[in-house]
Amino acid sequence: MATSSETRSFDSRAFLKHVSEAPGVYRMLDADGEPLYVGKAKRLKARLASYFRNSGLNTKTRALVARICDIQVTVTHSETEALLLEQTLIKQQRPPYNILLRDDKSYPYVFVSDRHPFPALEFRRVRQKRSDGHYFGPFTSSAAVRESLALLQKIFRIRNCENSVFAHRTRPCLQYQIGRCTAPCVGYIEQQDYQRDLKHAVMCLEGKSDEVTRQLGVEMERAAESLEFEQAAWLRDQIQQLRRLQTQQAVDIEGGDADVFAFAQRPGGFCVTLLPIRQGRVLGSRHFTPSNGLDLSDGALLGELIGQYYIGGEREIPSEVITSHPVEDAQLLQSGLAARAGRAVRLTHQVRAHRAQWLQLARTNAEQHLATELASQQQLMRRFIELRDLLGLDEVPTRLECFDISHSHGEATVASCVVFDQNGPLKSDYRRFNIEGVTPGDDYAAMRQALERRYRRIASEDAKRPDLLIVDGGKGQLNMAREVLSQIEGIGALQVLGVAKGTTRRPGLETLFLETPEHSLEVDSTSSALHLIQHIRDEAHRFAITGHRQRRDKARRTSTLQEIPGVGPKRRRELLRYFGGLQGVKRASREDLARVPGISAQLAGQIHAALHGQG
């Protein structure tokens, strides 16, 4: 069913009278017939009617509706069929208001032939459905795959030449001369011996390098007993190289195949990070910053992204997909993934044990990538320019300073001062102030002391002054800051901005006070200038909390290894030997401590808590 419109206005009432109640897909078109948005619905009429209600639509949805000149709908038999069709259309037409991944790269794989008597480890971009061998992957980084292949070829001397080259060799190539190939092309190694080396390389790709190391150790001892010292030395070198490659990451301990999606958001941007797990090993990470044309919620955005990633593309779907947030229409999406994969697929956000560790790692990667993106110089410069325009300054500010206070019910009060220039955080100029002699919990007095100490020193040393001073607080903190500056001789005129949280304390609802409480600014939540202010405010908050915790923990921490119950001389010796000293023990995680002989998981937790002031 389709409707058309000769004019730019769209008669939604007439259109909705004839729309089906069945599930299906709808396409919203502009005046030129180009798609604006593609969506799916369990009940087409109810879903489309929601776009044309009089209230409750966000700004971006209203902008979309204003551009609609035609809507075309396709009825389907089920929601799952609608989901599959929706993602196909999005992939083909790439409407501007949909989630668009802009990621058409194929993942690299490692391929091993089953037919060739002396197969190579091959790098491949496309996984063929009908194949005469086995694929390992997918991996997220082609550079990492090539590096891994080079290492495996070096350790196990697997050939890396093309089959056509292999078939026409009459003498060994340079790879044999430098000890990186056993020259199977000219019969220098028996097929069973080559297959043994290949099997070891494949086991490493499958995450079984520990088992390979044990097998090589047995072979080395057997060779030594047989007085085959040259062979024993070669096996010894293989074991040493493998040991250097092995890590003790928790994500490598447990098996399983999964894709982990983590969503991270800060003022000014968001990021979704994919962490593919195969045979219990993390294969890398990939980051997405798709357009969010309709201001979708976290769960809706993740659902749209996952649907487009798998259903709209040709990617392998693992047996489990883990998300950092609950996904909207999770049951429908899970059914769609299962239909696409031809087998059961689990979609979940509630995980434990090693899967929880994977999810935490994905979150950490998402946060780190987003922080890096937000700190990019180009984006920062645009924010500084918009800040100048917002505050009506004569020039673009080059230096911002922001203060915040942190304490626990008045204990160990610390004030932070963070500095931003047009390249982002200037951490070399960050300062902390241990606040003394004030009433516990009096944030005004703590802020006054920090400002006085900071700007009296700047005035006396004629140090660099900020173009804008930002205080995390409302009218009271602003007035106090102005009073402190007026009492410091030689500091000059400093612009002061107070940042007051909204009634719900949600980001984007702040009120800004420039110079005086009467001069308030209410800024749109999408403003880049506001995002810059939020960024420096959040950084000041983080820096203050970190300093407070360090000061508090230093005062509380008295535990040493000798004072921890259950840690006697033998266990202390094992701990110090394993980590190379007391500092290594303190840096170790609970999981690392539990790997020490004689240290149980429970005791590892007690040691970690005692050394970090948590006991």
Side-chain angles (χ1 to χ4, degrees):
M1 173 180 177
T3 67
S4 62
S5 175
E6 297 296 325
T7 65
R8 188 163 179 79
S9 61
F10 178 71
D11 189 349
S12 59
R13 291 187 178 181
F15 168 77
L16 291 172
K17 288 181 180 178
H18 305 286
V19 176
S20 171
E21 293 279 1
V25 173
Y26 56 91
R27 294 194 306 140
M28 297 176 171
L29 309 178
D30 63 12
D32 298 322
E34 296 297 324
L36 295 168
Y37 182 75
V38 175
K40 65 180 181 304
K42 181 179 180 180
R43 295 171 53 230
L44 282 166
K45 187 168 189 174
R47 181 70 185 96
L48 288 168
S50 69
Y51 287 99
F52 301 100
R53 60 192 183 207
N54 295 325
S55 61
L57 299 179
N58 62 42
T59 303
K60 292 185 178 180
T61 304
R62 290 198 299 270
L64 165 65
V65 172
R67 296 181 59 186
I68 295 174
C69 287
D70 189 12
I71 299 179
Q72 297 179 350
V73 301
T74 302
V75 175
T76 60
H77 293 101
S78 66
E79 287 183 82
T80 301
E81 187 179 332
L83 173 64
L84 299 175
L85 175 59
E86 175 202 34
Q87 297 304 328
T88 300
L89 292 175
I90 291 174
K91 186 72 173 179
Q92 292 174 349
Q93 302 177 5
R94 305 187 70 79
Y97 282 88
N98 282 98
I99 294 293
L100 299 178
L101 293 183
R102 296 184 178 89
D103 176 57
D104 295 322
K105 297 178 181 177
S106 58
Y107 284 106
Y109 292 83
V110 176
F111 174 74
V112 178
S113 172
D114 290 337
R115 296 185 178 180
H116 201 285
F118 299 97
L121 296 175
E122 301 178 40
F123 177 97
R124 290 200 177 179
R125 274 286 181 190
V126 179
R127 177 171 181 163
Q128 301 175 356
K129 292 184 178 179
R130 292 185 178 181
S131 175
D132 57 351
H134 188 72
Y135 285 88
F136 299 91
F139 301 89
T140 57
S141 168
S142 60
V145 174
R146 296 185 192 278
E147 181 180 358
S148 298
L149 289 180
L151 288 170
L152 291 175
Q153 287 160 355
K154 178 180 179 181
I155 296 172
F156 298 106
R157 298 189 292 182
I158 306 299
R159 73 176 180 93
N160 62 356
C161 56
E162 299 288 340
N163 289 341
S164 58
V165 174
F166 179 91
H168 295 90
R169 292 297 302 184
T170 58
R171 57 189 177 88
C173 66
L174 180 62
Q175 293 294 312
Y176 172 80
Q177 302 295 336
I178 64 176
R180 294 198 175 185
C181 181
T182 49
C185 54
V186 291
Y188 280 17
I189 184 173
E190 296 293 331
Q191 182 176 346
Q192 61 181 15
D193 294 331
Y194 185 89
Q195 290 288 346
R196 178 201 61 210
D197 293 338
L198 179 66
K199 178 183 177 182
H200 288 157
V202 167
M203 289 173 67
C204 288
L205 286 172
E206 294 174 338
K208 301 175 182 177
S209 57
D210 283 333
E211 185 177 344
V212 174
T213 304
R214 286 193 293 271
Q215 291 182 9
L216 292 177
V218 172
E219 292 179 20
M220 181 183 68
E221 293 177 0
R222 191 177 300 151
E225 291 173 357
S226 303
L227 304 182
E228 298 174 0
F229 298 116
E230 186 175 346
Q231 176 67 11
W234 169 248
L235 291 169
R236 177 204 61 201
D237 294 340
Q238 282 187 311
I239 293 170
Q240 290 177 351
Q241 292 178 51
L242 278 176
R243 288 291 187 197
R244 285 195 290 269
L245 291 177
Q246 290 167 350
T247 61
Q248 294 297 324
Q249 297 177 6
V251 290
D252 290 343
I253 295 173
E254 301 286 349
D257 292 346
D259 280 350
V260 186
F261 290 85
F263 179 87
Q265 185 170 26
R266 291 187 182 184
F270 67 91
C271 168
V272 177
T273 290
L274 163 63
L275 219 63
I277 314 291
R278 298 297 182 269
Q279 287 86 43
R281 286 186 178 271
V282 177
L283 302 184
S285 62
R286 178 160 284 185
H287 309 285
F288 306 102
T289 54
S291 60
N292 187 7
L294 295 180
D295 276 341
L296 300 177
S297 65
D298 302 349
L301 188 147
L302 270 176
E304 292 285 343
L305 186 147
I306 292 171
Q308 186 181 149
Y309 183 78
Y310 292 115
I311 300 172
E314 297 297 328
R315 296 180 175 88
E316 177 190 35
I317 303 177
S319 58
E320 186 172 24
V321 176
I322 301 170
T323 62
S324 60
H325 295 68
V327 174
E328 288 191 10
D329 295 328
Q331 198 62 43
L332 171 61
L333 181 57
Q334 182 170 279
S335 300
L337 294 176
R340 172 75 173 75
R343 52 176 165 74
V345 176
R346 183 186 181 211
L347 176 66
T348 181
H349 68 281
Q350 295 178 325
V351 288
R352 296 180 179 179
H354 58 283
R355 286 173 172 77
Q357 295 179 9
W358 295 341
L359 182 55
Q360 183 56 46
L361 185 61
R363 286 194 178 105
T364 301
N365 276 272
E367 290 286 351
Q368 181 63 47
H369 181 78
L370 180 57
T372 302
E373 287 295 307
L374 294 179
S376 66
Q377 187 172 2
Q378 182 177 5
Q379 191 172 26
L380 273 171
M381 191 60 205
R382 185 178 72 249
R383 291 180 174 186
F384 271 82
I385 293 172
E386 289 200 19
L387 181 64
R388 175 202 63 187
D389 297 338
L390 172 65
L391 303 181
L393 305 178
D394 295 332
E395 297 180 354
V396 177
T398 60
R399 184 182 178 92
L400 313 177
E401 293 189 3
C402 183
F403 285 75
D404 194 19
I405 305 294
S406 180
H407 57 79
S408 296
H409 304 289
E411 178 191 6
T413 303
V414 171
S416 69
C417 171
V418 301
V419 181
F420 275 36
D421 62 14
Q422 292 178 353
N423 293 314
L426 190 61
K427 295 192 175 182
S428 61
D429 286 8
Y430 282 20
R431 296 293 182 270
R432 289 195 185 103
F433 304 91
N434 291 333
I435 304 302
E436 304 288 356
V438 302
T439 304
D442 189 345
D443 287 354
Y444 286 97
M447 181 71 77
R448 175 185 293 274
Q449 183 179 131
L451 292 172
E452 287 179 344
R453 291 166 60 182
R454 172 70 170 173
Y455 292 109
R456 288 191 187 280
R457 186 191 62 80
I458 286 181
S460 64
E461 298 177 359
D462 196 23
K464 191 169 185 178
R465 294 162 173 75
D467 299 310
L468 181 67
L469 166 61
I470 302 172
V471 292
D472 186 14
K475 301 177 181 179
Q477 293 282 28
L478 177 67
N479 285 332
M480 184 272 303
R482 297 300 316 165
E483 180 183 345
V484 169
L485 294 176
S486 67
Q487 296 172 357
I488 300 176
E489 294 183 3
I491 193 62
L494 292 183
Q495 292 270 8
V496 183
L497 182 72
V499 183
K501 297 181 178 66
T503 54
T504 61
R505 304 180 71 84
R506 290 179 57 189
L509 300 180
E510 295 88 349
T511 300
L512 309 180
F513 299 97
L514 181 62
E515 292 297 319
T516 65
E518 292 73 30
H519 188 187
S520 64
L521 303 169
E522 292 189 3
V523 190
D524 187 88
S525 62
T526 61
S527 166
S528 292
L530 178 60
H531 296 158
L532 175 60
I533 294 169
Q534 291 170 333
H535 190 183
I536 191 172
R537 187 268 317 274
D538 293 344
E539 179 67 356
H541 186 59
R542 179 201 66 79
F543 194 55
I545 288 177
T546 303
H548 157 67
R549 287 174 177 168
Q550 291 173 351
R551 187 183 182 194
R552 180 198 62 193
D553 294 347
K554 183 178 180 180
R556 294 179 179 179
R557 190 185 304 126
T558 58
S559 297
T560 63
L561 288 179
Q562 291 88 343
E563 299 170 341
I564 301 175
V567 181
K570 184 176 179 180
R571 284 174 173 161
R572 286 200 300 271
R573 186 167 56 252
E574 288 292 337
L575 284 166
L576 295 173
R577 180 184 301 163
Y578 192 93
F579 295 105
L582 184 59
Q583 291 303 315
V585 178
K586 290 181 177 179
R587 287 193 296 267
S589 66
R590 290 179 174 85
E591 292 77 13
D592 292 334
L593 291 169
R595 295 190 184 102
V596 178
I599 304 297
S600 66
Q602 181 179 0
L603 182 56
Q606 295 174 3
I607 295 171
H608 188 274
L611 294 177
H612 294 80
Q614 299 169 359

